Amino acid sequence: VILVAAVVSALPRLAGTPAPATILLPALAAVAAGFLLGLQQSLNGAATAASGSPLAATWLNFLVGAVFLGAALGVKTLFQEGQGGAGLSGHALPADWWVYLGGACGVLFIGASAFLVRRIGVLLLSMALIAGQLACSITLDFAVPAGSRSPSLLTVLGALLTFLAVWIASRRPRGATARSEGRP
């Protein structure tokens, strides 16, 4: 159902018969990113299970991210200075307060996903995250449209199909709870 939702929501963009590379390469990049996100969520669940707290997985994610960003900044600075540039000088930090909300949202996201993945699994968590992203995206596209285009009816239908897929995946077979508790 979720794959049908993706195709339905993409139909308006496929109408102009674009070149295959303009669709295939971004789709492969999205699949690779999704694979890595699923792997990250699984590892966060394992770290949460080993430590007994989602805070350990959250801290570890941000430590690795900070080390990676620090290394990337160091390489960029060395490269710019080697090219006769000014390194880090001349780049002021953004003044808009809302730009810095990404870090706080990231902490909440990693902590919540590390907590939830042990309870609902990677597949259902990933599907629910996609459904939430679609709901927020469509809401923002209607509330604060970029340009003159609003989401098409097929895009909204694709989002609704995604919610249906999450509902189907979250249902337990009849009697599953009783069997897991040792009752007939």
Side-chain angles (χ1 to χ4, degrees):
V1 173
I2 204 162
L3 293 176
V4 170
V7 170
V8 166
S9 64
L11 282 175
R13 292 207 166 98
L14 299 177
T17 60
T22 61
I23 295 173
L24 188 60
L25 293 177
L28 290 175
V31 168
F35 176 83
L36 292 173
L37 183 59
L39 180 64
Q40 177 194 23
Q41 290 169 348
S42 177
L43 293 173
N44 285 344
T48 298
S51 68
S53 170
L55 293 176
T58 304
W59 184 84
L60 186 60
N61 272 267
F62 281 90
L63 176 66
V64 170
V67 168
F68 177 79
L69 289 174
L73 180 63
V75 168
K76 177 182 182 247
T77 303
L78 289 173
F79 181 74
Q80 284 180 335
E81 288 177 358
Q83 299 291 322
L88 291 178
S89 63
H91 294 286
L93 294 174
D96 298 324
W97 64 270
W98 53 268
V99 172
Y100 301 99
L101 288 178
C105 290
V107 169
L108 292 174
F109 171 77
I110 296 296
S113 67
F115 175 78
L116 289 172
V117 74
R118 300 279 305 151
R119 285 150 183 80
I120 64 174
V122 175
L123 176 65
L124 186 56
L125 177 62
S126 298
M127 290 172 63
L129 288 172
I130 291 168
Q133 289 171 351
L134 288 171
C136 183
S137 299
I138 289 173
T139 301
L140 286 173
D141 281 346
F142 279 121
V144 188
S148 61
R149 293 177 35 176
S150 292
S152 71
L153 182 59
L154 289 174
T155 301
V156 174
L157 179 61
L160 292 174
L161 284 172
T162 302
F163 277 94
L164 175 64
V166 170
W167 179 74
I168 290 169
S170 66
R171 295 190 57 205
R172 292 184 178 195
R174 292 181 192 255
T177 304
R179 274 184 258 137
S180 67
E181 294 173 356
R183 297 186 313 222

